[in-house]
Amino acid sequence: MKKSLLIMLILVLTLSFTMTACSSGSQTNNQQAQTGETEKAQEVPQEVTYISMTDAVGLSPILTNDSASSNIIREIYETLFMRDPKTGEIKPLLAESYENPDDNTWIIKLKQNIKFQDGTPFTSEAVKYTFEKIMDPKTASPRASLLKSVSSIETPDDYTVVIHTKKPYGIMLTALAHDNLSIVNPKADQNGDINKNPVGAGTGPYKFVEWVPGDHITLEKNPDYWQGAPKLDKVTFKVVPEMATAVSMLETGEADFLVGVPPEQLDRLKNNPDIDVIEMQGNPTRYLGFNFEKKPFDNLKVRQAISYAINRDAYIATLNGLGYKSRGIIGPKLFGYNEEIEQHGYDYDPEKAKQLLAEAGYPNGFKTTLTVGNTDVYMKMAPFIQAQLKEIGIDVELNVMDWASFLSYCKAGNQELYLNGWMNVTGDGEELLYPQFHSSNIGASNYSRYNKPDMDAMIMKTRVTVDQNQRYNYIREANIALTDDVAWIPMFNDVVTLAHRKNVKGITFESNGEFRLNDAYKE
């Protein structure tokens, strides 16, 4: 009996040892597998390629004002303030805080222990240098108007900037969040041409490496970035003018993301299992404009008739979900918008359009030209509008030209009707009102040649009022007035899109179509 118990005990111990050994081996194998997976994940090159339809004009925020340049500038440089992409609130970035002892003074405290990419400390002198260079007429900065109200800049210490204005400037914080007021390193700017070779020029998360004109621009991570080194090691901005080629590159993995998917390519990308498409209501607006200096477009009834003649709902239905309707000049994604504007504007009513034309003295319609820049979005809109206006007796001839010629033609006031759009970088309605409708911008950005003293006065209130609640109300009132006056015919607002490979994560995408790569990575 004792012998049998001893044998059983030996068997149990042996089995226990064997099971423990097997379990230990299994754990080891699992740990090895997990380690292998981790190493495999770590082996994924942290590099992405963005497809840009056009090359950058330059890489200095002081000297540029185009979206292709701004996409890169935003990664190299930083502004004093930025707009929160989720809430739209203006928040400090390089700045720590601000105060207004009076309506014409802005005291800005800067964050400390921040360095430019060459190791030079970021101080108030860099802010003063940047802004004064932008303000200098010799510089010919394309966005000098952002600082037009500034009279002087003081730097009482390394981390304090005092900005004095000639008169109250209510959009100061909005202006200071604009990419073109990014702070540059004076040392880098004085030692070379940062518009072509911005080595060490910014405080941002990525550093400039190379620019092969017409082909690509390469950035690498800034390991000493003050908010922590980004996860991506390398970012390439690849120039691909043809959208069909760009889409193919995204599908094959030769590129990682692009912005602005056209309607005809949307379903193709959304149905690709390797690609995600982000869609959101954006602030870019597309419109039919009038030259108010040319008859009969100075007649409100004519403008109303044209608005009644266009079935915007029918046109938006052709955009495959990439456009949405708003009746106002200032759309839902801009500061100053109020939903009450949707009770204004004009619904599709061709009979009402004919009646108004007759009341205006044109019972049989008239002939006119519609000037169009030869980009896809406007070339699609033009024949639709041409056909719609023909239904009420307006004979429209299309005047198509390349984009650069279109801009010059409209600035000179040669157009009658024209198609255009406006993307609001700062998300503030004033940034649309002043450049587009203030009479001081006729011959520049006011292509409508809109010139009404009462509207000039109202628009200026949106600029000089420091109280933001009051400023909001002024923008709201201006939106109603311009919409009722048919200053434009809003055709649609963009649904902005970003298509990316599914293994690319963490891109911050905003309603103005901009993106940031601070938190982006590849898995």
Side-chain angles (χ1 to χ4, degrees), residues 260-511:
V261 180
E264 61 273 15
Q265 301 284 1
L266 184 62
D267 289 339
R268 172 178 168 179
L269 290 178
K270 290 173 74 172
N271 292 329
N272 189 313
D274 297 321
I275 293 170
D276 278 335
V277 178
I278 301 171
E279 302 173 69
M280 70 171 71
Q281 288 191 349
N283 75 42
T285 185
R286 314 291 177 172
Y287 65 88
L288 173 63
F290 310 93
N291 185 339
F292 276 71
E293 292 182 352
K294 299 214 171 180
K295 293 183 179 296
F297 306 112
D298 58 341
N299 187 318
L300 175 59
K301 287 187 176 182
V302 170
R303 299 195 303 275
Q304 289 174 328
I306 291 173
S307 189
Y308 276 122
I310 299 173
N311 189 340
R312 288 176 283 277
D313 291 326
Y315 185 76
I316 290 171
T318 70
L319 299 178
N320 199 12
L322 295 184
Y324 68 100
K325 184 179 180 180
S326 178
R327 295 170 178 265
I329 302 292
I330 293 171
K333 294 302 178 179
L334 297 181
F335 176 78
Y337 171 85
N338 186 291
E339 62 183 10
E340 67 185 334
I341 196 65
E342 304 306 337
Q343 303 305 314
H344 295 258
Y346 305 88
D347 288 322
Y348 176 59
D349 188 339
E351 294 306 313
K352 179 70 172 177
K354 292 175 183 177
Q355 175 190 331
L356 285 166
L357 273 186
E359 291 176 6
Y362 299 94
N364 299 316
F366 56 87
K367 293 183 178 182
T368 189
T369 59
L370 172 60
T371 299
V372 187
N374 63 346
T375 61
D376 290 347
V377 63
Y378 302 120
M379 290 301 292
K380 182 177 179 180
M381 290 168 62
F384 178 86
I385 291 171
Q386 182 185 41
Q388 295 269 281
L389 296 187
K390 186 175 183 179
E391 294 296 316
I392 65 166
I394 299 178
D395 185 7
V396 178
E397 178 183 353
L398 299 184
N399 178 29
V400 180
M401 55 186 65
D402 68 85
W403 189 248
S405 298
F406 168 82
L407 296 177
S408 298
Y409 193 81
C410 291
K411 284 180 182 178
N414 294 321
Q415 79 284 15
E416 295 179 343
L417 294 173
Y418 68 101
L419 291 174
N420 204 6
W422 185 258
M423 183 185 76
N424 199 304
V425 174
T426 61
D428 194 298
E430 183 281 335
E431 198 197 334
L432 184 155
L433 295 176
Y434 182 72
Q436 294 293 309
F437 297 110
H438 195 276
S439 62
S440 65
N441 289 310
I442 290 175
S445 52
N446 182 353
Y447 293 173
S448 298
R449 307 182 86 78
Y450 196 86
N451 185 0
K452 299 193 176 183
D454 57 336
M455 281 308 305
D456 277 357
M458 186 179 292
I459 290 169
M460 287 309 299
K461 287 181 180 179
T462 73
R463 285 177 69 80
V464 304
T465 303
V466 175
D467 182 288
Q468 296 303 301
N469 290 328
Q470 185 61 58
R471 200 168 72 80
Y472 169 87
N473 284 324
Y474 286 140
I475 297 173
R476 179 183 63 81
E477 291 170 7
N479 194 21
I480 292 172
L482 288 166
T483 301
D484 289 348
D485 197 33
V486 201
W488 282 350
I489 297 177
M491 289 295 294
F492 66 94
N493 292 290
D494 286 7
V495 169
V496 294
T497 55
L498 185 149
H500 64 92
R501 302 284 300 178
K502 283 191 174 180
N503 66 333
V504 177
K505 309 291 184 181
I507 299 174
T508 300
F509 188 48
E510 304 179 31
S511 63

Side-chain angles (χ1 to χ4, degrees), residues 49-56 72 210-218 236-241 249 254:
T49 296
Y50 166 73
I51 299 175
S52 177
M53 303 304 292
T54 59
D55 202 357
I72 303 163
E210 69 170 356
W211 183 358
V212 179
D215 189 77
H216 71 272
I217 292 172
T218 303
T236 301
F237 293 80
K238 178 71 175 175
V239 180
V240 182
M249 289 174 66
E254 188 177 350

Side-chain angles (χ1 to χ4, degrees), residues 220-247:
E220 65 181 4
K221 76 176 177 182
N222 176 8
D224 302 314
Y225 180 50
W226 63 277
Q227 294 196 86
K231 296 175 183 178
L232 292 175
D233 295 320
K234 178 181 175 183
V235 180
T236 301
F237 293 80
K238 178 71 175 175
V239 180
V240 182
E242 297 295 330
M243 180 55 73
T245 303
V247 168

Side-chain angles (χ1 to χ4, degrees), residues 38-195:
T38 301
E39 289 175 348
K40 183 178 179 180
Q42 291 174 343
E43 290 173 0
V44 175
Q46 291 302 307
E47 301 177 357
V48 298
T49 296
Y50 166 73
I51 299 175
S52 177
M53 303 304 292
T54 59
D55 202 357
V57 173
L59 297 178
S60 167
I62 296 172
L63 299 174
T64 56
N65 186 35
D66 63 291
S67 58
S69 300
S70 292
N71 285 336
I72 303 163
I73 284 169
R74 205 173 304 119
E75 308 300 337
I76 298 174
Y77 306 87
E78 292 174 307
T79 49
L80 294 181
F81 294 84
M82 69 175 291
R83 188 173 294 276
D84 187 300
K86 294 181 180 179
T87 67
E89 180 185 358
I90 300 288
K91 294 182 175 181
L93 183 55
L94 291 176
E96 182 66 43
S97 62
Y98 77 96
E99 60 178 308
N100 293 113
D102 60 70
D103 285 353
N104 292 330
T105 305
W106 299 76
I107 300 175
I108 302 170
K109 296 291 185 179
L110 305 179
K111 288 186 172 72
Q112 300 185 26
N113 301 315
I114 295 176
K115 293 183 178 181
F116 288 101
Q117 293 148 353
D118 66 353
T120 302
F122 162 72
T123 66
S124 58
E125 283 302 317
V127 178
K128 180 179 171 69
Y129 174 88
T130 300
F131 291 173
E132 288 185 343
K133 184 164 184 178
I134 291 171
M135 293 163 59
D136 186 347
K138 295 178 182 177
T139 303
S141 176
R143 289 315 307 264
S145 61
L146 291 167
L147 296 174
K148 188 176 182 179
S149 294
V150 174
S151 59
S152 63
I153 301 170
E154 299 175 12
T155 55
D157 60 57
D158 282 350
Y159 299 102
T160 304
V161 178
V162 182
I163 301 176
H164 299 282
T165 58
K166 304 166 191 172
K167 53 188 175 182
Y169 189 42
I171 63 163
M172 178 64 81
L173 297 184
T174 297
L176 295 179
H178 197 289
D179 289 337
N180 291 108
L181 294 190
S182 296
I183 308 304
V184 306
N185 180 356
K187 179 181 174 182
D189 189 49
Q190 291 166 348
N191 290 343
D193 183 0
I194 65 170
N195 204 35

